[in-house]
Amino acid sequence: MPTTTRSVAGLAQPEMGELVRRSQEGDSVAFEALYRAHVGKVYALCLRLTGDSGQATEMTQDVFVQAWKGLASFRGESGFGTWLHRLAFNVVRQGQRSQNRRNSRVQLREDLVAAAVGRSETALEDRMELERAIATLPPRAREALVLHDIHGYRCREVAELTGSAVGTIQAHLHRARKMLKEVLVR
Amino acid sequence: MTHPHEETLHLHIDGELPGAERGEVEAHLRSCAECVRRADEVRGLLMRVAMLDREIQPPVDLWQGIVKRIAVENPAPEHDLERLRSRRRVYQALGWIGAIAATLVLGIGLGRMTPGPTAGTVATLPTELSSDVAAHIPAPDTQASVAMLAAAHEEPAYDSAISELETVLYESSQQLRPETIAAIQENLAIIDQAIAEAQGALLADPANEHLRQHIATNKQTKLRLLRTLTTTVTADL
C-alpha cells in the first residue's frame, strides 16, 4: 500500500482520468490512489459541514465506499473531485437528517492543529477563531460559505451541488458572511 | 447611483453581477469612499477565509476500514478488492504452514506411543526416497531451488514423493496414539487446504509467479515435514 499522499494538486488531469478509468474496471490500487488524492478535501468538507471530527471521519469513509459502488455511474461530465464532493454533501445532509442534529459541536481543534504544523502561533489562533466562527453558522449558510469561499465553487455550482436555486445560494452566502463578520468583531 | 445594497456589493465582489449592473457599481465605487470601505471589509474577510486549508487529513488513515466495508458490502467474486483480500488470506494461510509444521513435529515427538508390538509386526519402511524422486527435490532455502521448485512442484515426481511419504506415515500410524494420529491428520489437512486455496488463486491469476513460488515453497515444507514425521515415527523400529 502506498504510504505517501499525493494531493489533487500533485496529479495531472490525464493521470486522474486514468486512475478513474482503472478504478471503474475494478483496480483497487488505482482506487486507493484516488482515495489518497482526494481524502483531504472530502474530509475537510465533511468536517466543516458537521463541525465534528468523529462524524466527519465516519462520513468520509461512507463517501469512498459509496464512490466505489457508484463508480460505474461517473461519466466524467464534471470533474471526479466535484463528483466526490457531491457525494460528500449528500452523505452529510443524510447524516444530519437521520441524526436530527441542528447545532454542530465545535471539535475542530485537534484536526486544525495537525493541519497547521509549521505555521505561526498567530496564524494558528486566527484560523482557529475563524473555524470556530464558521462552525456557529446555521447549516445552509455554512454550506454556502464553505463550498463557495473555501472550496472555490461558483454560486451556480453550489446551487447544483445542493439542489438549490442560485439566488437562494447567493442569499445564504451573504447571510453567512454578515454573521461571520459580526462574530469575529465581538 | 445610490449606494448599492450589501448583497449587490457581495455579488460584485464575487464577479456574479450581470454586465450593465456591474458597470454601474464600478462607476459608483470610483467616487464613493464609504462603499469602497465596505467592499474592502468584505474582501478582507474573504481573504481570511480563503487562507483556510481546503484539504485536511483525517486523524487516522481510513483506507483499511474502507476496504473492509467494501469487501463486506460488495462480495462479488470477480471484484478486484475481493480477489485482493482472498489472495491475502491465501498468503497468510501459507505463511502459517511453517508454524504448523514445527508444532506438528514437536507434537509427534511428545505423542508417540511407547514401543508396543515387536518390530517384526511393523512393515519395513524405506529410509531413503527412491533415487528418481530424490533427484527432483532440490536443497531448500536457495533462490535457485525456489525457482526449480516452481517447476518441480508441477512435476508428477514431486507429488509422488509426497504421496510415498504419506503412505509410509499412515502405514506406521498404528504405532501412534489415536490423538496423535488425529493431530497429524488435522494439521496435514490444514496444509493441504492452504495449498489448494493457493492453487485455486493461481487458476484465477496464472501469471502470478509469486503465488507459484509460494505453492512450491510450501509443498517442499510439507515434504520436509513428512520426511521428519516418518523419521520420527520409525526411529525406534
Side-chain angles (χ1 to χ4, degrees), chain A residues 1 7 26 28 35-36 40 43-44 48 62 68-69 119 126-127 129 149-151 174 177 181, chain B residues 6 10-11 14 16 41 46 48 53-56 59 61-64 69-70 73 79-81:
Chain A
M1 185 190 314
S7 67
S28 61
Y35 158 78
R36 296 206 182 276
Y43 180 72
R48 290 195 174 102
D62 289 345
W68 174 258
K69 287 181 189 173
R119 297 189 193 211
D126 187 56
R127 287 173 64 247
E129 185 192 18
D149 291 349
I150 298 177
H151 288 276
H174 173 227
R177 290 168 179 174
K181 198 170 76 171
Chain B
E6 199 69 27
H10 281 251
L11 289 173
D14 291 338
E16 299 273 1
E41 259 184 22
L46 294 183
R48 279 180 77 182
D53 293 311
R54 286 189 180 187
E55 295 188 37
I56 301 173
D61 187 354
L62 303 176
W63 177 245
Q64 286 304 324
R69 278 186 56 185
I70 289 173
E73 295 174 28
H79 197 279
D80 185 68
L81 276 175

Side-chain angles (χ1 to χ4, degrees), chain B:
Chain B
M1 183 193 185
T2 54
H3 303 300
H5 290 295
E6 199 69 27
E7 203 166 323
T8 304
L9 204 57
H10 281 251
L11 289 173
H12 172 71
I13 290 166
D14 291 338
E16 299 273 1
L17 276 184
E21 211 176 336
R22 184 174 66 239
E24 285 179 21
V25 171
E26 281 170 1
H28 179 84
L29 288 174
R30 279 195 284 274
S31 59
C32 179
E34 174 58 24
C35 288
V36 166
R37 188 194 60 77
R38 286 165 60 207
D40 286 344
E41 259 184 22
V42 176
R43 287 196 184 94
L45 174 66
L46 294 183
M47 276 177 59
R48 279 180 77 182
V49 172
M51 295 294 291
L52 296 174
D53 293 311
R54 286 189 180 187
E55 295 188 37
I56 301 173
Q57 293 302 314
V60 293
D61 187 354
L62 303 176
W63 177 245
Q64 286 304 324
I66 290 166
V67 168
K68 280 181 190 155
R69 278 186 56 185
I70 289 173
V72 165
E73 295 174 28
N74 196 11
E78 67 276 13
H79 197 279
D80 185 68
L81 276 175
E82 177 59 31
R83 276 209 303 278
L84 190 68
R85 282 170 51 85
S86 69
R87 202 179 301 156
R88 199 176 295 148
R89 274 202 302 273
V90 163
Y91 290 154
Q92 285 173 344
L94 293 177
W96 293 332
I97 286 176
I100 290 170
T103 307
L104 195 57
V105 171
L106 181 62
I108 296 303
L110 294 173
R112 292 177 63 219
M113 289 175 70
T114 52
T118 61
T121 66
V122 177
T124 303
L125 301 169
T127 54
E128 294 284 333
L129 292 172
S130 59
S131 58
D132 59 335
V133 170
H136 284 83
I137 311 302
D141 301 328
T142 62
Q143 252 188 336
S145 70
V146 170
M148 284 172 68
L149 273 171
H153 94 278
E154 290 169 351
E155 296 287 334
Y158 193 87
D159 287 333
S160 111
I162 289 179
S163 176
E164 195 171 311
L165 285 168
E166 281 177 334
T167 305
V168 165
L169 184 64
Y170 288 118
E171 281 176 357
S172 61
S173 60
Q174 61 194 290
Q175 298 300 307
L176 301 172
R177 291 195 193 106
E179 50 270 31
T180 306
I181 296 168
I184 293 173
Q185 286 174 335
E186 188 183 335
N187 284 284
L188 285 175
I190 292 170
I191 296 172
D192 286 338
Q193 188 188 350
I195 292 175
E197 278 185 12
Q199 285 169 333
L202 193 61
L203 280 175
D205 189 5
N208 191 324
E209 273 310 308
H210 186 233
L211 200 55
R212 199 178 289 279
Q213 286 175 11
H214 226 88
I215 293 170
T217 303
N218 285 287
K219 275 200 172 183
Q220 192 191 38
T221 301
K222 182 180 177 184
L223 188 63
R224 277 206 299 272
L225 172 63
L226 286 169
R227 279 184 187 152
T228 306
L229 285 172
T230 51
T231 303
T232 306
V233 164
T234 63
D236 288 340
L237 297 176

Side-chain angles (χ1 to χ4, degrees), chain A residues 3-177:
Chain A
T3 54
T4 55
T5 300
R6 291 182 72 191
S7 67
V8 177
L11 283 171
Q13 206 51 39
E15 201 177 356
M16 187 73 70
E18 178 61 17
L19 287 175
V20 171
R21 188 193 61 76
R22 281 167 48 196
S23 299
Q24 286 174 320
E25 289 170 2
D27 185 338
S28 61
V29 173
F31 188 65
E32 186 181 355
L34 284 177
Y35 158 78
R36 296 206 182 276
H38 290 278
V39 66
K41 261 183 139 178
V42 171
Y43 180 72
L45 185 65
C46 293
L47 182 63
R48 290 195 174 102
L49 294 183
T50 61
D52 182 320
S53 65
Q55 282 185 62
T57 300
E58 203 180 305
M59 287 176 180
T60 301
Q61 269 207 5
D62 289 345
V63 169
F64 284 96
V65 172
Q66 286 191 28
W68 174 258
K69 287 181 189 173
L71 264 174
S73 70
F74 175 69
R75 300 268 179 259
E77 296 97 352
S78 63
F80 184 73
T82 305
W83 184 75
L84 268 186
H85 272 174
R86 188 172 292 120
L87 265 182
F89 183 79
N90 291 335
V91 165
V92 169
R93 271 267 182 104
Q94 208 158 359
Q96 286 170 337
R97 267 197 293 267
S98 65
Q99 291 173 26
N100 202 26
R101 284 174 187 269
R102 303 185 71 193
N103 298 306
S104 52
R105 290 178 290 134
V106 181
Q107 293 187 350
L108 304 172
R109 182 175 292 272
E110 285 166 17
D111 304 77
L112 292 172
V113 167
V117 168
R119 297 189 193 211
S120 71
E121 192 61 34
T122 314
L124 177 59
E125 280 167 14
D126 187 56
R127 287 173 64 247
M128 292 292 298
E129 185 192 18
L130 196 46
E131 296 279 9
R132 266 193 225 104
I134 291 170
T136 65
L137 296 175
R140 299 296 168 258
R142 186 169 3 116
E143 280 169 8
L145 187 113
V146 167
L147 287 167
H148 186 275
D149 291 349
I150 298 177
H151 288 276
Y153 289 102
R154 310 271 319 174
C155 285
R156 175 181 41 84
E157 290 167 325
V158 176
E160 243 176 72
L161 254 166
T162 60
S164 302
V166 173
T168 309
I169 295 301
Q170 287 168 343
H172 283 316
L173 196 52
H174 173 227
R175 186 181 171 215
R177 290 168 179 174

